[in-house]
Amino acid sequence: MTQPRIGLIGLGTMGRALALNIAENAEPLAVYNRTTEKTDDFIAHTKANEPALAERLTPADSLEGFVSALATPRAVIVMVDAGDPVDKVIAALRPLLNDDDLIIDAGNANFHDTNRRAAAAESEGWPFIGMGVSGGEEGARHGPSIMGGGPKDHWDRVSNVLEAISAKYEGTPCATWMGKGGAGHFVKAVHNGIEYADMQMIAETYGIFRDGMGRDAVTIGKTFAKWNDGLLQSYLIEISGKVATATDPDSGKPMLDIILDRAGQKGTGRWTVIEAQHLGAAIPVIEAAVFARNASSRLPLRKRGEEVFGAAPMALPEGALSDEVLEGAMIAGKIMCYAQGFELLGAASVQFDWGLPMPEVARVWREGCIIRSSMLNDMADALTEAPDDTLIFAPFFRDLIVQHIPALRQTVATALSHGLPVPALSAALNWFDMIRTARSTANMIQGQRDFFGAHGFERTDRDGKDYHGPWAMNG
Ligand code: NDP
């Protein structure tokens, strides 16, 4: 076997899958993991199950051995827990590498960390890429969506490998360079924010079916499966159908009925919301989804709330909502959610001078990643036509919204009037109603601000900025 020029550090869930993908679809590679037993286990397992791929792996039990196994110039993919572990690995690795050896952080880094690492790499004169990888274990093994960031010439050094291992949408690789510094990890964070929101809206619809309409999990799962044949076709709707129809092998009951209603998170949705606040971008559907996960984790509080205040009535009158209306609500909500995600990307692109390629962002999400859906192809087309415009004004999506807003309104109004929580769907509707209101209520806010803080306001009938109301002189 020729000496590998690519190495991968971190043989956890993602690293193992990515290593096999590289070995199968790109080229031989060296692998290393801090805990050597994991390397041994990985190699033994691969030898037993995929012997041809095992031959293309060079395991190392020390960082020194790993580095010397690689032909120069080297490219090292780091796939370890985000945060401090990445800094530790880079600090240990850097003294062993040559100046032109490339380090690629492929974990879920916070883009601020990637900016910091990229700046350090640039000032010290070594190449570095921060790269978001989406698709979970299955994607990493058989084709993830890859969002790269850093100097373009560094990306070009490995783009053929990354394109070879990425998912393909009708033959087009879902691996794209997004911009300098932390651009790739930022796009990945927004992807995850949209993922949170999409999942939450599906969960809310499930709740309406379960608590409002008394449907069992299997019936709900079949409805999701049916929706997956229409405009909502997406990985998340598809797996929601599968999750809902699954049976728990231990109890024989529907799996969903056994799963505790407390959602976990690793923080990428929260980062998205925090960055949106910094950038002044409105992403209420994603904010609502993060809020809902936080609220779900407070199980004792929710139990106490139900004891003290009683459960909401929830059950809907016969015929109050239909499958068609809920499907329409999901279509409208989904468009709003993606529109907000792209708004945030646009705001970040300007703020950080990234020049994010908006249509390419939509294209790279069409396959391999968790939010892949048929709508993303239409979004790529709309963003090609008008990259800087809000997605809901593109004719295709404008028509869909006009068609489905009544369903979203009916769903939100009906759910809320029966105590069925729909934070993400209602955030979508509120956002829509706010942005189609030319005369908002913020004149009252400005009046209040001027009253207590003399902040001044603009007038509708004159030019200029610093007008004040009569309250100061009236005492
Ligand atoms: P795992 O928990 O499965 O594996 C973590 C890996 O990090 C292990 O190899 C571990 O080594 C290594 N590690 C942790 N701390 C250190 C350290 N200080 N020094 C060296 N190695 C260290 O995680 P995943 O594979 O799931 O995730 C890896 C990255 O990929 C994370 O950033 C994650 O957010 C991201 N990601 C995960 C996805 C998923 O679906 N799981 C999807 C997309 C991205 P050891 O065995 O020695 O503990």
Side-chain angles (χ1 to χ4, degrees):
M1 186 172 84
T2 53
Q3 198 179 6
R5 58 184 193 117
I6 292 199
L8 186 143
I9 297 179
L11 296 171
T13 308
M14 290 295 281
R16 290 164 86 111
L18 208 61
L20 293 176
N21 186 352
I22 296 169
E24 183 170 62
N25 296 305
E27 49 189 84
L29 74 160
V31 293
Y32 169 76
N33 193 68
R34 175 182 61 174
T35 310
T36 307
E37 293 79 58
K38 235 184 221 177
T39 312
D40 297 343
D41 173 73
F42 173 55
I43 296 297
H45 192 265
T46 309
K47 273 186 180 154
N49 296 291
E50 298 177 273
L53 294 188
E55 302 226 332
R56 288 163 73 82
L57 299 171
T58 304
D61 57 10
S62 70
L63 214 44
E64 291 76 9
F66 169 79
V67 169
S68 60
L70 293 171
T72 57
R74 306 173 178 95
V76 177
I77 298 172
V78 179
M79 193 45 129
V80 302
D81 291 329
D84 195 41
V86 177
D87 289 318
K88 286 198 169 116
V89 169
I90 292 175
L93 192 56
R94 218 30 261 173
L96 306 173
L97 296 178
N98 297 333
D99 281 351
D100 59 350
D101 289 341
L102 173 66
I103 296 182
I104 303 166
D105 174 19
N108 265 339
N110 184 313
F111 87 104
H112 289 298
D113 285 340
T114 306
N115 278 342
R116 172 177 57 77
R117 291 175 189 131
E122 191 180 347
S123 75
E124 291 162 21
W126 50 273
F128 175 75
I129 288 176
M131 178 175 99
V133 175
S134 176
E137 183 181 12
E138 179 70 11
R141 175 66 185 87
H142 297 292
S145 166
I146 298 176
M147 296 142 263
K152 176 80 164 58
D153 50 333
H154 300 337
W155 169 265
D156 290 341
R157 272 176 61 175
V158 281
S159 60
N160 59 338
V161 171
L162 299 173
E163 287 175 4
I165 65 166
S166 74
K168 312 286 179 302
Y169 179 85
E170 294 179 358
T172 304
C174 294
T176 302
W177 179 77
M178 295 296 167
K180 64 186 179 186
H185 276 134
F186 189 87
V187 173
K188 172 71 202 300
V190 175
H191 163 285
N192 284 23
I194 293 172
E195 175 185 311
Y196 274 49
D198 225 345
M199 291 167 74
Q200 175 62 25
M201 287 189 289
I202 295 171
E204 289 173 15
T205 313
Y206 157 71
I208 294 173
F209 279 134
R210 184 190 69 182
D211 301 326
M213 298 162 83
R215 300 234 181 122
D216 61 74
V218 173
T219 309
I220 299 169
K222 287 181 181 162
T223 304
F224 287 155
K226 195 168 148 226
W227 287 358
N228 200 42
D229 291 331
L231 265 173
L232 289 173
Q233 189 287 320
S234 62
Y235 173 70
L236 283 171
I237 283 282
E238 181 191 334
I239 64 160
S240 302
K242 289 180 177 165
V243 167
T245 47
T247 304
D248 173 31
D250 290 344
S251 65
K253 293 182 179 166
M255 196 68 243
L256 252 187
D257 295 349
I258 301 295
I259 300 176
L260 192 65
D261 55 330
R262 196 154 58 182
Q265 56 183 312
K266 282 192 174 168
T268 43
R270 190 184 308 134
W271 295 345
T272 312
V273 169
I274 290 168
E275 288 318 317
Q277 298 294 341
H278 286 311
L279 292 163
I283 56 161
V285 184
I286 299 173
E287 286 169 11
V290 175
F291 147 68
R293 282 208 195 182
N294 292 339
S296 83
S297 70
R298 304 200 62 190
L299 188 51
L301 179 78
R302 291 189 284 117
K303 281 190 172 156
R304 182 156 172 241
E306 186 167 322
E307 272 164 31
V308 172
F309 299 109
M314 289 194 175
L316 302 177
E318 190 68 31
L321 289 174
S322 65
D323 290 15
E324 290 70 31
V325 166
L326 287 168
E327 185 180 14
M330 285 288 293
I331 291 168
K334 187 177 172 108
I335 296 168
M336 308 291 174
C337 154
Y338 278 70
Q340 291 168 20
F342 279 104
E343 286 272 295
L344 172 56
L345 289 171
S349 184
V350 171
Q351 175 74 22
F352 303 114
D353 192 24
W354 281 332
L356 287 179
M358 294 302 178
E360 293 311 316
V361 174
R363 283 192 190 101
V364 91
W365 289 345
R366 287 180 303 185
E367 258 313 329
C369 68
I370 302 294
I371 64 169
R372 61 187 183 261
S373 82
S374 60
M375 251 189 224
L376 274 163
N377 197 39
D378 300 310
M379 289 179 187
D381 290 346
L383 290 163
T384 304
E385 284 290 309
D388 300 323
D389 203 4
T390 303
L391 211 49
I392 57 166
F393 297 123
F396 178 79
F397 291 105
R398 181 195 59 208
D399 292 351
L400 280 178
I401 284 173
V402 168
Q403 187 185 345
H404 295 295
I405 270 292
L408 179 61
R409 194 175 300 288
Q410 186 184 341
T411 299
V412 171
T414 308
L416 292 185
S417 65
H418 289 79
L420 287 158
V422 283
L425 288 169
S426 54
L429 184 61
N430 271 316
W431 181 77
F432 173 75
D433 281 336
M434 284 203 77
I435 60 161
R436 59 90 171 259
T437 301
R439 174 78 175 149
S440 80
T441 54
N443 49 328
M444 173 55 93
I445 306 292
Q446 287 301 81
Q448 292 161 338
R449 292 181 70 236
D450 189 56
F451 191 103
F452 64 68
H455 293 297
F457 51 73
E458 297 168 279
R459 296 178 61 106
T460 56
D461 56 352
R462 287 179 223 161
D463 290 338
K465 282 184 181 294
D466 203 19
Y467 293 100
H468 294 280
W471 24 84
M473 65 184 128
N474 291 342

